[in-house]
Amino acid sequence: MADPVGSSKAFTLYGWESTYGTEASTKDKVFGVGQEITINRGNQFQKVRGVGDRDISNVAPGQYDGSFSINFSLANPWFFKMLFGDATDAGSGPYTHTWNSTTADPEPFSTFLGIDSDTDSNQVLLGCKAEKITLSCNVGEVVKGSIEGKFMKDTEDATLDTKITETDYDVFFFQQGTLTIGTTVAYIDKVDIDISNGLLPTYSVGSRFLTSLSPGERNFNLNFTVKWSGPVHLDEFYGQDGSPIDDEVAAQSTAVLEFDNGKATTSQRKITITLSSLYFDTESLPTTTNTVITEDLTAFAKSFTSVVATDNTATAK
């Protein structure tokens, strides 16, 4: 009997599908550095029971349910295509890649979990689409990313895809991040941004498997924690200085979350996410003994202006 396999024997990559549900011809892209993948599958069996019998009379397979989650450290911007389709490329050393409201719908992709052991296993997920992408920046840590999504179906065999070395990519750190809401937000402890597609699954008579994942209502959420230094954000939450407004609360015009390695020309690597019409939804001010007072804020944006990546790659991958 073979020994249990450690996670050091596993790896994952992805590639863009030209037809939804048809395996990508190449799967050579990393989500980031330090990747982790979780695959969830469900048969959703239908249990048939009838009068006169306490036990199950028959069992039929239901809709095949497949979902996944990916965790990684932020090192490249290419996963934004999962949300916004193809980027518009411009410039020359450094280049820019822009996703905005005029770019296409979410792009389908194939990903896989390869397990390189005495008995190899290559598990390929087909018809993947991203439901939610989250970026998290905490003091003292690298910038973390996560992707949650669904897939149509999957295959498993013993032929492994080619492994790509993650260490070829540099990660972004907390000190390379800034948040601007009118002015630069000071004393940030942590900031999270998540963007969701509101995917709408379609099943059809004649097949257990998804036939499509249509983009639904999109949401842009921004949560952050700061060390309290005055009522700036409380007033933004109120909608005016000093007390809650008894009228329509005006939106903040923009919120800009940026990660920049601080270098110039062809060595520059930067990701800039700009949200428009930001509304503060909740504000919390926990105060305990012998600590610096912190303020927690949650907000959402009506829409986004753009995601712009700057690097020395001519064409978005």
Side-chain angles (χ1 to χ4, degrees):
M1 180 182 296
D3 292 333
V5 181
S7 60
S8 63
K9 297 291 187 180
F11 62 102
T12 184
L13 299 167
Y14 73 96
W16 305 115
E17 294 179 353
S18 56
T19 302
Y20 178 67
T22 299
E23 185 172 350
S25 57
T26 57
K27 298 182 288 296
D28 58 356
K29 298 169 180 59
V30 297
F31 298 95
V33 174
Q35 301 176 124
E36 299 173 336
I37 181 171
T38 299
I39 303 170
N40 303 299
R41 304 175 176 93
N43 274 317
Q44 302 196 100
F45 284 117
Q46 304 298 301
K47 302 171 185 177
V48 181
R49 300 174 188 267
V51 173
D53 196 343
R54 296 180 61 199
D55 298 328
I56 297 170
S57 301
N58 210 324
V59 176
Q63 296 170 339
Y64 191 74
D65 181 52
S67 64
F68 63 89
S69 61
I70 310 287
N71 296 316
F72 56 91
S73 296
L74 180 64
N76 71 71
W78 313 128
F79 57 83
F80 283 111
K81 185 174 179 176
M82 298 175 191
L83 291 172
F84 308 124
D86 290 324
T88 300
D89 303 313
S92 58
Y95 302 89
T96 61
H97 317 284
T98 302
W99 293 268
N100 54 35
S101 58
T102 64
T103 55
D105 286 336
E107 193 79 8
F109 60 97
S110 301
T111 188
F112 71 88
L113 170 62
I115 303 175
D116 186 3
S117 63
D118 294 338
T119 302
D120 293 339
S121 177
N122 205 59
Q123 303 173 32
V124 182
L125 311 185
L126 307 175
C128 298
K129 285 193 177 180
E131 167 62 25
K132 183 169 75 170
I133 291 178
T134 303
L135 296 179
S136 302
C137 181
N138 297 339
V139 167
E141 299 180 5
V142 300
V143 182
K144 303 290 182 62
S146 68
I147 300 170
E148 300 172 21
K150 298 185 73 66
F151 63 91
M152 176 194 288
K153 57 185 177 181
D154 54 303
T155 64
E156 193 278 337
D157 60 35
T159 304
L160 293 175
D161 280 277
T162 303
K163 186 175 183 179
I164 302 295
T165 304
E166 294 181 13
T167 52
D168 292 342
Y169 300 84
D170 295 328
V171 299
F172 286 96
F173 294 87
F174 76 98
Q175 63 264 40
Q176 296 170 333
T178 56
L179 175 62
T180 303
I181 304 174
T183 60
T184 301
V185 177
Y187 305 118
I188 297 178
D189 259 0
K190 60 182 179 180
V191 57
D192 301 335
I193 186 170
D194 70 70
I195 304 170
S196 59
N197 268 322
L199 294 177
L200 303 172
T202 297
Y203 291 87
S204 299
V205 172
S207 176
R208 295 181 64 202
F209 304 110
L210 279 168
T211 56
S212 70
L213 280 167
S214 305
E217 296 176 343
R218 199 160 53 185
N219 286 288
F220 306 90
N221 297 313
L222 179 70
N223 307 316
F224 61 97
T225 298
V226 297
K227 295 291 195 298
W228 172 271
S229 60
V232 175
H233 303 303
L234 181 59
D235 290 337
E236 291 171 340
F237 171 80
Y238 283 155
Q240 64 178 5
D241 292 349
S243 64
I245 193 169
D246 188 18
D247 198 350
E248 181 180 352
V249 178
Q252 304 297 312
S253 57
T254 60
V256 181
L257 179 61
E258 185 170 83
F259 302 105
D260 188 345
N261 71 351
K263 298 181 181 179
T265 63
T266 57
S267 297
Q268 185 180 34
R269 292 170 59 253
K270 182 168 66 173
I271 297 173
T272 306
I273 304 168
T274 303
L275 305 179
S276 55
S277 298
L278 187 75
Y279 290 85
F280 285 96
D281 201 27
T282 68
E283 190 265 0
S284 177
L285 200 63
T287 307
T288 58
T289 59
N290 200 35
T291 61
V292 176
I293 297 172
T294 59
E295 183 179 27
D296 302 319
L297 296 115
T298 68
F300 65 90
K302 289 177 65 176
S303 60
F304 85 113
T305 303
S306 64
V307 176
V308 181
T310 303
D311 55 31
N312 198 37
T313 301
T315 305
K317 294 184 179 181

